Amino acid sequence: MAQEQTLAGKTAYVAGASSGINLGIAKRFKAAGANVVIISRSEDKIAAAAKEVGDGCIGIAADVRDYAAIEASLKRTHEAFGDIDIVLSGAAGNFVAPALGMSANGFKTVVDIDLIGTFNVLRASFEFLRRPGASLISITAGQAERASLYQAHVCAAKAGINMLTKCLALEWGPAGVRVNAISPGPIAETEGMARLAPTDEAEARVKSRNPMRRYGLKDEIADMAIFLSSPQAAYVNGAIIPVDGGSGAGDASGNALMNYAPAYQA
Ligand code: HXC
Ligand code: NAP
């Protein structure tokens, strides 16, 4: 079934969109009628991804750690399509390592990509935005709120993204610019889960701890991005919205109490 053209005529800029969740979002923005520009570090990957997104999509190689390159890519977006309606900042890096197995540069690298990169993208976008009206979305993770073994760098970076999102919502709300974050749970067929749950056993464990007993889909994250960019979300600002099957709601990890009452499990 053809998707309703809810974003017809709008312009969307998606950072970190050569693969995974953000590419999925870019495709849905395009299917909803938006002009789409995507960026990532790799010239080859972003060119291939732009082809996948479809006709008219522009792919630009730019590193979110390089403010000038990001600013130039936003300027190019503005020149091609006019005021930018939607900015999604989702570039990220992750590896599994204990703090003692990580150099200062390893920690800094993830903070630079995730947190400083998000500041760069959102800050540089401001002068090119439709004001009032623009929707800015950062991509965070449950690690922002819950400490996680061997993820000190990611937990710290994503926690920073959550607070940055709320601070910008306060500062830019008066200009009619809304700033929100989506916090995905474990999403199927992504690099993130390939790194965090690389074996069938680990994948089964993650699923068993999620109240929905499955991974989420890229399209389920894109649904939220489209909602946040719609008039129906006009009063949603400064929100960190989990799309995680309930994994952030509490401990559904098969704790001791569950063993006392197997007959009552839904
Ligand atoms: C310890 C490591 C390491 C590892 C890299 N480093 N991998 N340290 N264990 N496994 C260290 C390096 O030794 C180096 O420190 C520093 O990190 C920088 O490494 P580079 O390779 O030079 O960095 P760079 O080329 O910029 O690559 C960034 C990267 C890489 C993060 C390291 O993995 C990457 O490009 N990732 C992008 C794709 C990705 O990660 N996707 C998943 C996102 S999912 P030294 O001291 O040696 O110089 C996600 C999930 C969130 O974010 C939550 C999900 C639930
Ligand atoms: P992914 O496919 O690896 O996506 C990361 C993207 O960021 C890639 O397109 C990568 O492209 C780009 N990127 C990395 N470093 C960059 C940089 N310095 N500058 C510009 N672009 C850069 O991973 P994913 O699993 O789909 O994750 C997407 C987002 O969702 C991330 O923010 C992640 O933290 C979040 N998240 C994921 C999950 C999950 O289950 N997967 C759960 C919670 C949150 P290049 O290599 O071409 O640069």
Side-chain angles (χ1 to χ4, degrees):
M1 193 171 66
Q3 182 173 323
E4 206 184 328
Q5 298 278 293
T6 50
L7 301 179
K10 295 199 184 266
T11 295
Y13 172 98
V14 186
S18 69
S19 57
I21 292 171
N22 307 319
L23 174 57
I25 292 170
K27 284 182 186 168
R28 288 283 304 282
F29 282 163
K30 184 79 169 71
N35 305 308
V36 178
V37 174
I38 59 177
I39 70 117
S40 85
R41 289 169 301 184
S42 155
E43 188 102 47
D44 291 349
K45 279 170 68 182
I46 205 66
K51 272 203 188 122
E52 246 188 83
V53 171
D55 264 3
C57 174
I58 299 175
I60 302 172
D63 191 316
V64 293
R65 294 168 285 191
D66 179 347
Y67 190 87
I70 291 305
E71 195 175 34
S73 69
L74 284 153
K75 187 162 186 280
R76 205 172 134 198
T77 305
H78 192 258
E79 281 163 5
F81 299 123
D83 287 352
I84 304 177
D85 300 280
I86 303 162
V87 174
L88 187 132
S89 174
N94 193 5
F95 50 81
V96 176
L100 292 177
M102 198 185 294
S103 66
N105 190 44
F107 185 86
K108 180 177 181 297
T109 296
V110 169
V111 172
D112 277 349
I113 299 173
D114 293 30
L115 175 57
I116 310 293
T118 295
F119 177 82
N120 289 345
V121 168
L122 299 184
R123 170 69 185 83
S125 75
F126 191 82
E127 72 167 293
F128 302 107
L129 297 176
R130 187 174 308 288
R131 303 195 301 267
S135 166
L136 275 44
I137 303 167
S138 33
I139 301 292
T140 182
Q143 281 96 326
E145 294 173 49
R146 293 179 297 286
S148 187
L149 282 171
Y150 316 133
Q151 291 279 276
H153 46 343
V154 173
C155 290
K158 293 293 194 184
I161 289 178
N162 283 18
M163 195 44 85
L164 174 66
T165 300
K166 293 186 214 182
C167 288
L168 296 184
L170 294 190
E171 292 194 21
W172 295 353
V177 173
R178 296 178 298 106
V179 192
N180 295 289
I182 300 174
S183 181
I187 302 303
E189 291 167 25
T190 60
E191 183 61 27
M193 289 321 294
R195 290 178 184 223
L196 291 177
T199 63
D200 288 349
E201 195 215 340
E203 184 173 322
R205 202 178 326 120
V206 174
K207 287 178 180 167
S208 77
R209 289 176 181 180
N210 188 291
M212 304 309 294
R213 300 290 190 264
R214 65 171 176 88
Y215 278 177
L217 306 175
K218 290 172 212 164
D219 261 338
E220 292 171 327
I221 306 304
D223 285 336
M224 181 55 71
I226 286 180
F227 168 71
L228 285 173
S229 308
S230 75
Q232 285 72 29
Y235 203 53
V236 182
N237 189 30
I240 312 294
I241 304 180
V243 181
D244 65 0
S247 57
D251 179 9
S253 61
N255 62 40
L257 284 178
M258 277 175 77
N259 297 329
Y260 288 118
Y264 297 104
Q265 283 186 45

